[in-house]
């Protein structure tokens, strides 16, 4: 998993180096998400990188009834991950990423529950790794999800890796 997270750290470093305009002009999360996905594509050859992807093979991505995360995209609070790294046709789900701007003051509970569900091995669409990213103007705060929960040791390792590439807490 460290290999994949290292690729995410490299993509984030390239993203911050090449996309300063987005932060200087306080552009929205969906714009940041798209541009980060462009940088992730370079790091994951042989994989597809998509934003707001709503399928698993031929099935529409849905969570079980009664969860707090909806499959309805009204108010942009859908189950669809911000960014996924996967192989569409197989399906093979490697990485689900949720992105937030540090200036977003809405509760993070929705994104966190989504990553728990998306990485839950008991659900049919489980992703191997989930990453929660809070993008500041010059730094990134992150948590890593594996098996439906935050993986504290892997999260700590990834935070150190972000510091190594110049994106640690200021």
């Amino acid at each position: 998993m460290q290999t994949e997270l290292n690729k995410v750290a490299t993509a984030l470093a390239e993203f911050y180096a090449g996309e300063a305009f987005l932060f200087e002009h306080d552009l929205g999360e969906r714009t940041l998400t798209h541009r980060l996905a462009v940088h992730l594509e370079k790091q994951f050859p042989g994989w597809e990188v998509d934003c707001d992807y709503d399928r698993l093979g031929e099935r529409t991505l849905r969570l079980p009834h009664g969860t707090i995360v909806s499959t309805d995209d009204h108010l942009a609070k859908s189950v669809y991950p911000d960014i996924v790294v996967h192989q569409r046709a197989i399906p093979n789900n490697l990485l689900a990423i949720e992105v937030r701007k540090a200036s977003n003051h809405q509760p993070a509970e929705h994104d966190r529950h989504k990553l728990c569900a998306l990485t839950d091995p008991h659900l049919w669409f489980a992703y191997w790794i989930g990453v929660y990213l809070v993008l500041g103007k010059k730094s990134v705060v992150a948590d890593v999800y594996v098996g439906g929960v935050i993986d504290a040791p892997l999260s700590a390792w990834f935070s150190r890796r972000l510091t190594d590439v110049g994106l640690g807490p200021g």
Side-chain angles (χ1 to χ4, degrees), residues 62-71 79 110 113-114 117 123 125:
R62 295 195 184 280
L63 287 176
H65 291 296
T67 74
I68 72 158
V69 181
S70 171
T71 55
V79 65
H110 175 78
H113 280 291
K114 191 186 319 185
L123 299 179
F125 50 79

Side-chain angles (χ1 to χ4, degrees), residues 49-71:
V49 178
D50 290 308
C51 294
D52 294 319
Y53 196 75
D54 70 348
R55 297 278 192 265
L56 178 72
E58 295 298 318
R59 296 184 194 170
T60 299
L61 186 62
R62 295 195 184 280
L63 287 176
H65 291 296
T67 74
I68 72 158
V69 181
S70 171
T71 55

Side-chain angles (χ1 to χ4, degrees), residues 21-99:
F21 179 91
L22 304 178
F23 292 97
E24 291 166 7
H25 292 86
D26 196 29
L27 291 169
E29 285 179 18
R30 288 188 178 188
T31 300
L32 298 175
T33 298
H34 166 71
R35 295 306 305 160
L36 176 57
V38 168
H39 292 276
L40 284 163
E41 282 181 321
K42 299 172 196 170
Q43 297 301 315
F44 289 94
W47 294 86
E48 284 95 21
V49 178
D50 290 308
C51 294
D52 294 319
Y53 196 75
D54 70 348
R55 297 278 192 265
L56 178 72
E58 295 298 318
R59 296 184 194 170
T60 299
L61 186 62
R62 295 195 184 280
L63 287 176
H65 291 296
T67 74
I68 72 158
V69 181
S70 171
T71 55
D72 177 15
D73 196 25
H74 188 68
L75 302 177
K77 289 194 172 209
S78 74
V79 65
Y80 314 133
D82 289 336
I83 303 171
V84 294
V85 178
H86 62 157
Q87 294 170 321
R88 295 180 198 123
I90 295 174
N92 186 12
N93 293 325
L94 178 63
L95 179 64
I97 300 173
E98 284 298 312
V99 175

